[in-house]
Every structure is written in C-alpha cells, then in structure tokens.
C-alpha cells in the first residue's frame, strides 16, 4: 500500500513565524500535492509538483511556497504565518500526471495564534 | 467560483437503507469524477470513480451515476452501514496540459451519518 507520511499531526505556531510542513511518500509517485481543508470549503489546492524541482500554483497559493528537492519529499512553507492560515493541511501523491487517484496523508492540523 | 458543489453539508440514513449523496458541477471540461471518503483524524481515501464516457459505475455497495446533461453525479450506498459514517467528497478532473496532467477540484463535502 502507498504510504504518505506527514511529519506532524498537530502544530501550534505564532503569527509571523516561518512554518515548514513536511510530506514523504514511499511509492515513487511523480505527482505530489498540498491541500488545505476548511469547514464548508472542502479541499482547496495550494500547490502541486509533477516532478523534482518543478512546482505549479494551485487555487490558493498566496502566503505559501513549496520545495521538492527529492522525488519522495514535498514541503509546504508558510513564510510568515497568519491566523487565517489556521487549517487542516493535507498532502497527497499520485502515480502519474494523468492518474487522478490521489493517496492522502493523515493531515496536519495547524493553529496559528 | 465553486465549480464542484455538494449542496448538502450533512445527511442521515438508517442502517440497511439507501444513502444518496449528490454533487453538481459547472465546468464542462471535467472528464473524470471521483468520490473520496474521510474519517476523522485520517486523510481522504479513494472510493469510486467514473469517466465521462460512462453514466454508471458500480463497486460492491457503492454506485456512482453521472448525468452529463445535468452536470450532476450521485453516489448511492446500498445497504448503508454504520461504518459508512464519514465525510464524502466529490471531485472532478480536467486536463490542464501535457506535462502538468490533470488536477482535481473538490466539493465542500457531505457528512453522512448512518444510524443503527
């Protein structure tokens, strides 16, 4: 089975801090994604990557950046955390660019105070 | 602009009966549709999908119906079980380029509660 591992289950940060959310997948998937889940808004795509060192903006990239130095690892960076970035963050991967079936991690609940 | 909408935030059903979850979309470029299920404290997991060339796909107790003219899809669960209680997300896919492949747009989710 594919495993997508997010480094933290819960995080509490202060406004203005730089925050790193890490995600690792173990099945050699090409595509990796970062979503945030908010009540009443569903899952919204922040950034995705279809290859090492490649990245594409999703629907809500403002305030975020990403890094993909290795195929298995995709990091989400909040340069200066704000309270409106309090959310559940979900990392996902898929085998190929045209394989829409995503495998998700368990999520990181981030609270920015 | 919400391209994929699940108008019911919550739904209740009785064990053994049918549960029907609905989803509407607006983008005519969507060509592949999926349902994901999410339990608390877990990530969403893939449940069932359907291509736009079909109007029905069945997998055990789960059936997805697609009505392209109405831009509507539905998930039927028969018979419903208490373990089906979860949030269900509808998602739709449109191609975005040869190298970038496709990407999913998700609905808001519907919380299904199946009562014993």
């Amino acid at each position: 089975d594919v495993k997508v591992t997010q480094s933290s289950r819960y995080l509490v940060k202060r406004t203005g801090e730089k925050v790193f959310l890490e995600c690792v997948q173990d099945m050699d998937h090409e595509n990796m994604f970062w979503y945030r889940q908010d009540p009443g808004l569903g899952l919204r795509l922040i950034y995705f990557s279809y290859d090492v060192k490649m990245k594409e903006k999703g629907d809500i990239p403002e305030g975020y950046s990403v890094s993909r130095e290795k195929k298995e690892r995709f990091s989400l960076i909040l340069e200066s955390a704000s309270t409106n970035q309090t959310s559940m963050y979900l990392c996902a991967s898929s085998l190929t660019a045209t394989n829409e079936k995503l495998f998700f991690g368990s999520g990181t609940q981030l609270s920015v105070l | 602009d919400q391209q994929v909408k699940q108008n019911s935030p919550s739904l209740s059903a009785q064990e053994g009966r049918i549960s029907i979850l609905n989803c509407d979309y607006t983008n005519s470029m969507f060509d592949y549709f999926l349902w994901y299920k999410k339990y608390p404290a877990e990530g969403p997991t893939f449940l069932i999908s359907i291509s736009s060339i079909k109007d029905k796909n069945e997998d055990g107790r789960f059936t997805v119906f697609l009505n392209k003219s109405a831009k509507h899809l539905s998930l039927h669960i028969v018979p419903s079980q208490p373990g089906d209680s979860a949030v269900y997300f509808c998602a739709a896919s449109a191609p975005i380029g040869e190298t970038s492949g496709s990407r999913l747009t998700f609905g808001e989710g519907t919380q299904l509660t199946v009562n014993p």
Side-chain angles (χ1 to χ4, degrees), chain B residues 98-112:
Chain B
E98 286 187 13
T99 52
S100 302
S102 58
R103 52 186 270 188
L104 296 185
T105 300
F106 284 84
E108 304 94 327
T110 297
Q111 171 70 57
L112 173 66

Side-chain angles (χ1 to χ4, degrees), chain B residues 6-106:
Chain B
Q6 295 175 255
N7 289 312
S8 299
S10 61
L11 186 68
S12 292
Q14 281 300 122
E15 182 177 7
R17 301 288 189 102
I18 186 171
S19 296
I20 300 177
L21 294 90
N22 293 302
C23 179
D24 296 294
Y25 62 95
T26 57
N27 187 344
S28 57
M29 296 299 291
F30 288 145
D31 61 359
Y32 195 69
F33 303 88
L34 306 90
W35 286 92
Y36 283 79
K37 180 168 72 173
K38 185 182 185 300
Y39 293 117
E42 295 182 14
T45 55
F46 169 77
L47 187 58
I48 192 169
S49 63
I50 187 168
S51 165
S52 60
I53 62 173
K54 293 186 173 182
D55 54 18
K56 176 182 174 182
N57 188 28
E58 192 171 350
D59 183 3
R61 296 186 297 113
F62 302 91
T63 303
V64 57
F65 295 92
L66 176 63
N67 182 335
K68 289 188 292 293
S69 61
K71 293 191 174 68
H72 177 84
L73 67 155
S74 60
L75 175 69
H76 292 212
I77 306 173
V78 183
S80 302
Q81 298 173 355
D84 296 329
S85 298
V87 176
Y88 289 78
F89 290 100
C90 167
S93 170
I96 56 173
E98 286 187 13
T99 52
S100 302
S102 58
R103 52 186 270 188
L104 296 185
T105 300
F106 284 84

Side-chain angles (χ1 to χ4, degrees), chain A residues 33-52:
Chain A
F33 307 80
W34 275 106
Y35 287 87
R36 60 178 283 177
Q37 181 194 356
D38 300 288
L41 296 176
L43 278 68
R44 293 180 292 165
L45 182 63
I46 304 171
Y47 266 97
F48 66 103
S49 167
Y50 53 88
D51 201 354
V52 176

